[in-house]
Amino acid sequence: MAATIIYWGVTFALIGWGIWNLIFSVVYLKNKENGNLWFFAILNTLTLLFGWVFNNHAWQEYWLVKATATNSLLGGVLIAYVVLIIAQVILGREPKIKTA
């Protein structure tokens, strides 16, 4: 029972963090603060690894002693994180300043 609660708590926390991160990524793009997207990309990579651990049945048994049935919702969230990380890395590049 506890493994199921933790699994769904992690799933909804990842969804909330992803939405929060997407909103601030748009704000930073609008304000032309592209460098902050690199920091979010690093945090999202760590979050992706954390979510992958909870999406893997064997890792769940290791960390929670008991595993719960995984759902395709968490897999979809992890795919969305991969897309978000790639977009943040590409859009986070600062244009090179041309010297005279």
Side-chain angles (χ1 to χ4, degrees), residues 6 20 34 37 50 57 59 82 86:
I6 292 172
W20 179 266
N34 296 356
L37 295 178
F50 177 73
H57 193 72
W59 278 99
V82 170
I86 292 171

Side-chain angles (χ1 to χ4, degrees), residues 29-73:
L29 277 175
K30 181 181 161 192
N31 294 338
K32 300 195 186 300
E33 298 174 5
N34 296 356
N36 292 333
L37 295 178
W38 282 87
F39 180 69
F40 277 133
I42 292 168
L43 286 179
N44 285 337
T45 303
L46 297 174
T47 305
L48 178 70
L49 292 173
F50 177 73
W52 179 75
V53 165
F54 276 93
N55 199 33
N56 189 330
H57 193 72
W59 278 99
Q60 282 183 18
E61 287 182 355
Y62 179 77
W63 288 106
L64 302 175
V65 178
K66 182 181 175 190
T68 183
T70 58
N71 193 332
S72 63
L73 176 65

Side-chain angles (χ1 to χ4, degrees), residues 83-94:
V83 171
L84 184 62
I85 290 168
I86 292 171
Q88 287 173 335
V89 167
I90 291 172
L91 296 173
R93 297 181 356 186
E94 294 282 341

